[in-house]
Amino acid sequence: MSDLRLADVGVGQGSALSPVLSALFIAPIMKLFKLRAIRLGSRLLSYIDDGTALTQSKSLDDNNAVLKQAYTILFALFASLGLVLKHNKTELFYFDCIHSNHNPPLDLGYTPYTGDHLLTPKTYWRYLGFYFN
């Protein structure tokens, strides 16, 4: 037996193993999220390691409240499995069928999206190479 040595065990982006490992960790999170967030009416979509929390209601303010709760559930699930949910990669997108000018920002409750640095709505959403507006 040799002495203990540091080892880099990460799987780089683009590795053939990356999607398999992502699916193994994210599938249980998606199942647990569905069970815990069912009362919110929020859903979770995922493609490899790119996830999206969705909600819809008659008010953007109501949506913000649900999204904040959904994100809190998601963060807790990731942390319980020893995974990291990077807050700085979080984006917020609105689809407003009324096309109003009421686009409230969201205090996510996690740095950097609190206080003076709230999540702000975008005019379009790019997901898997598709653009939505």
mmCIF file of all heavy atoms in Angstrom, residues 40-41 54-67 95-98:
data_model
loop_
_atom_site.group_PDB
_atom_site.id
_atom_site.type_symbol
_atom_site.label_atom_id
_atom_site.label_comp_id
_atom_site.label_asym_id
_atom_site.label_seq_id
_atom_site.Cartn_x
_atom_site.Cartn_y
_atom_site.Cartn_z
ATOM 1 N N LEU A 40 -46.619 23.243 -5.307
ATOM 2 C CA LEU A 40 -46.314 24.555 -5.880
ATOM 3 C C LEU A 40 -46.799 24.676 -7.322
ATOM 4 O O LEU A 40 -46.949 25.782 -7.834
ATOM 5 C CB LEU A 40 -44.803 24.811 -5.868
ATOM 6 C CG LEU A 40 -44.106 24.852 -4.515
ATOM 7 C CD1 LEU A 40 -42.606 24.991 -4.709
ATOM 8 C CD2 LEU A 40 -44.651 25.986 -3.684
ATOM 9 N N GLY A 41 -46.970 23.556 -7.985
ATOM 10 C CA GLY A 41 -47.304 23.592 -9.405
ATOM 11 C C GLY A 41 -46.089 23.897 -10.258
ATOM 12 O O GLY A 41 -46.202 24.324 -11.398
ATOM 13 N N LEU A 54 -39.879 25.492 -14.039
ATOM 14 C CA LEU A 54 -40.959 26.195 -14.715
ATOM 15 C C LEU A 54 -42.138 26.381 -13.782
ATOM 16 O O LEU A 54 -42.440 25.508 -12.972
ATOM 17 C CB LEU A 54 -41.460 25.388 -15.917
ATOM 18 C CG LEU A 54 -40.455 25.032 -16.983
ATOM 19 C CD1 LEU A 54 -41.061 24.043 -17.959
ATOM 20 C CD2 LEU A 54 -40.013 26.276 -17.713
ATOM 21 N N THR A 55 -42.807 27.492 -13.942
ATOM 22 C CA THR A 55 -44.075 27.708 -13.256
ATOM 23 C C THR A 55 -44.902 28.669 -14.087
ATOM 24 O O THR A 55 -44.358 29.442 -14.872
ATOM 25 C CB THR A 55 -43.875 28.241 -11.826
ATOM 26 O OG1 THR A 55 -45.110 28.184 -11.142
ATOM 27 C CG2 THR A 55 -43.332 29.641 -11.814
ATOM 28 N N GLN A 56 -46.189 28.592 -13.919
ATOM 29 C CA GLN A 56 -47.057 29.549 -14.606
ATOM 30 C C GLN A 56 -48.244 29.894 -13.720
ATOM 31 O O GLN A 56 -48.738 29.062 -12.968
ATOM 32 C CB GLN A 56 -47.529 29.006 -15.951
ATOM 33 C CG GLN A 56 -48.212 27.678 -15.903
ATOM 34 C CD GLN A 56 -48.538 27.170 -17.305
ATOM 35 O OE1 GLN A 56 -48.664 27.947 -18.235
ATOM 36 N NE2 GLN A 56 -48.666 25.878 -17.446
ATOM 37 N N SER A 57 -48.617 31.144 -13.783
ATOM 38 C CA SER A 57 -49.757 31.618 -13.013
ATOM 39 C C SER A 57 -50.293 32.867 -13.689
ATOM 40 O O SER A 57 -49.793 33.273 -14.729
ATOM 41 C CB SER A 57 -49.340 31.907 -11.569
ATOM 42 O OG SER A 57 -48.480 33.024 -11.531
ATOM 43 N N LYS A 58 -51.266 33.490 -13.085
ATOM 44 C CA LYS A 58 -51.857 34.690 -13.663
ATOM 45 C C LYS A 58 -51.079 35.955 -13.311
ATOM 46 O O LYS A 58 -51.400 37.027 -13.780
ATOM 47 C CB LYS A 58 -53.304 34.815 -13.214
ATOM 48 C CG LYS A 58 -54.163 33.676 -13.716
ATOM 49 C CD LYS A 58 -55.623 33.987 -13.572
ATOM 50 C CE LYS A 58 -56.464 32.828 -14.024
ATOM 51 N NZ LYS A 58 -56.682 32.778 -15.442
ATOM 52 N N SER A 59 -50.049 35.821 -12.477
ATOM 53 C CA SER A 59 -49.312 36.992 -12.018
ATOM 54 C C SER A 59 -47.815 36.688 -11.962
ATOM 55 O O SER A 59 -47.411 35.635 -11.479
ATOM 56 C CB SER A 59 -49.827 37.373 -10.626
ATOM 57 O OG SER A 59 -48.848 37.982 -9.854
ATOM 58 N N LEU A 60 -47.008 37.635 -12.443
ATOM 59 C CA LEU A 60 -45.552 37.465 -12.371
ATOM 60 C C LEU A 60 -45.069 37.486 -10.922
ATOM 61 O O LEU A 60 -44.100 36.826 -10.576
ATOM 62 C CB LEU A 60 -44.852 38.545 -13.192
ATOM 63 C CG LEU A 60 -45.081 38.469 -14.702
ATOM 64 C CD1 LEU A 60 -44.413 39.636 -15.403
ATOM 65 C CD2 LEU A 60 -44.582 37.155 -15.261
ATOM 66 N N ASP A 61 -45.760 38.233 -10.073
ATOM 67 C CA ASP A 61 -45.405 38.252 -8.653
ATOM 68 C C ASP A 61 -45.628 36.873 -8.033
ATOM 69 O O ASP A 61 -44.803 36.395 -7.247
ATOM 70 C CB ASP A 61 -46.199 39.322 -7.909
ATOM 71 C CG ASP A 61 -45.828 40.727 -8.362
ATOM 72 O OD1 ASP A 61 -44.622 41.008 -8.478
ATOM 73 O OD2 ASP A 61 -46.745 41.525 -8.605
ATOM 74 N N ASP A 62 -46.744 36.227 -8.387
ATOM 75 C CA ASP A 62 -46.994 34.861 -7.904
ATOM 76 C C ASP A 62 -45.934 33.900 -8.436
ATOM 77 O O ASP A 62 -45.450 33.027 -7.715
ATOM 78 C CB ASP A 62 -48.380 34.375 -8.328
ATOM 79 C CG ASP A 62 -49.509 35.105 -7.611
ATOM 80 O OD1 ASP A 62 -49.241 35.763 -6.581
ATOM 81 O OD2 ASP A 62 -50.653 35.020 -8.097
ATOM 82 N N ASN A 63 -45.574 34.058 -9.704
ATOM 83 C CA ASN A 63 -44.523 33.212 -10.285
ATOM 84 C C ASN A 63 -43.214 33.349 -9.521
ATOM 85 O O ASN A 63 -42.539 32.362 -9.254
ATOM 86 C CB ASN A 63 -44.284 33.576 -11.752
ATOM 87 C CG ASN A 63 -45.234 32.888 -12.687
ATOM 88 O OD1 ASN A 63 -46.096 32.119 -12.276
ATOM 89 N ND2 ASN A 63 -45.092 33.171 -13.958
ATOM 90 N N ASN A 64 -42.851 34.588 -9.194
ATOM 91 C CA ASN A 64 -41.609 34.809 -8.455
ATOM 92 C C ASN A 64 -41.621 34.089 -7.111
ATOM 93 O O ASN A 64 -40.630 33.489 -6.705
ATOM 94 C CB ASN A 64 -41.358 36.301 -8.248
ATOM 95 C CG ASN A 64 -40.677 36.943 -9.427
ATOM 96 O OD1 ASN A 64 -40.379 36.292 -10.424
ATOM 97 N ND2 ASN A 64 -40.422 38.225 -9.330
ATOM 98 N N ALA A 65 -42.737 34.156 -6.423
ATOM 99 C CA ALA A 65 -42.839 33.498 -5.117
ATOM 100 C C ALA A 65 -42.684 31.983 -5.266
ATOM 101 O O ALA A 65 -41.964 31.343 -4.485
ATOM 102 C CB ALA A 65 -44.174 33.830 -4.462
ATOM 103 N N VAL A 66 -43.314 31.411 -6.281
ATOM 104 C CA VAL A 66 -43.211 29.965 -6.510
ATOM 105 C C VAL A 66 -41.798 29.582 -6.938
ATOM 106 O O VAL A 66 -41.235 28.592 -6.465
ATOM 107 C CB VAL A 66 -44.251 29.505 -7.553
ATOM 108 C CG1 VAL A 66 -43.998 28.071 -7.982
ATOM 109 C CG2 VAL A 66 -45.659 29.651 -7.002
ATOM 110 N N LEU A 67 -41.201 30.368 -7.834
ATOM 111 C CA LEU A 67 -39.843 30.057 -8.292
ATOM 112 C C LEU A 67 -38.832 30.113 -7.150
ATOM 113 O O LEU A 67 -37.918 29.298 -7.081
ATOM 114 C CB LEU A 67 -39.420 31.005 -9.414
ATOM 115 C CG LEU A 67 -40.068 30.749 -10.763
ATOM 116 C CD1 LEU A 67 -39.715 31.867 -11.741
ATOM 117 C CD2 LEU A 67 -39.645 29.398 -11.315
ATOM 118 N N PHE A 95 -42.335 34.939 -19.488
ATOM 119 C CA PHE A 95 -43.159 34.944 -20.683
ATOM 120 C C PHE A 95 -44.485 35.539 -20.254
ATOM 121 O O PHE A 95 -45.224 34.937 -19.489
ATOM 122 C CB PHE A 95 -43.340 33.526 -21.233
ATOM 123 C CG PHE A 95 -42.054 32.932 -21.707
ATOM 124 C CD1 PHE A 95 -41.329 32.092 -20.887
ATOM 125 C CD2 PHE A 95 -41.565 33.240 -22.959
ATOM 126 C CE1 PHE A 95 -40.135 31.560 -21.312
ATOM 127 C CE2 PHE A 95 -40.364 32.705 -23.396
ATOM 128 C CZ PHE A 95 -39.650 31.865 -22.570
ATOM 129 N N ASP A 96 -44.753 36.709 -20.705
ATOM 130 C CA ASP A 96 -45.934 37.460 -20.284
ATOM 131 C C ASP A 96 -46.854 37.617 -21.485
ATOM 132 O O ASP A 96 -46.562 38.378 -22.404
ATOM 133 C CB ASP A 96 -45.480 38.823 -19.753
ATOM 134 C CG ASP A 96 -46.620 39.673 -19.243
ATOM 135 O OD1 ASP A 96 -47.766 39.204 -19.254
ATOM 136 O OD2 ASP A 96 -46.340 40.805 -18.831
ATOM 137 N N CYS A 97 -47.970 36.893 -21.493
ATOM 138 C CA CYS A 97 -48.876 36.948 -22.648
ATOM 139 C C CYS A 97 -49.588 38.290 -22.757
ATOM 140 O O CYS A 97 -50.099 38.639 -23.815
ATOM 141 C CB CYS A 97 -49.870 35.800 -22.611
ATOM 142 S SG CYS A 97 -50.995 35.849 -21.221
ATOM 143 N N ILE A 98 -49.607 39.055 -21.692
ATOM 144 C CA ILE A 98 -50.255 40.370 -21.718
ATOM 145 C C ILE A 98 -49.296 41.427 -22.276
ATOM 146 O O ILE A 98 -49.712 42.475 -22.732
ATOM 147 C CB ILE A 98 -50.729 40.764 -20.297
ATOM 148 C CG1 ILE A 98 -51.743 39.743 -19.797
ATOM 149 C CG2 ILE A 98 -51.333 42.153 -20.281
ATOM 150 C CD1 ILE A 98 -52.106 39.911 -18.336
#
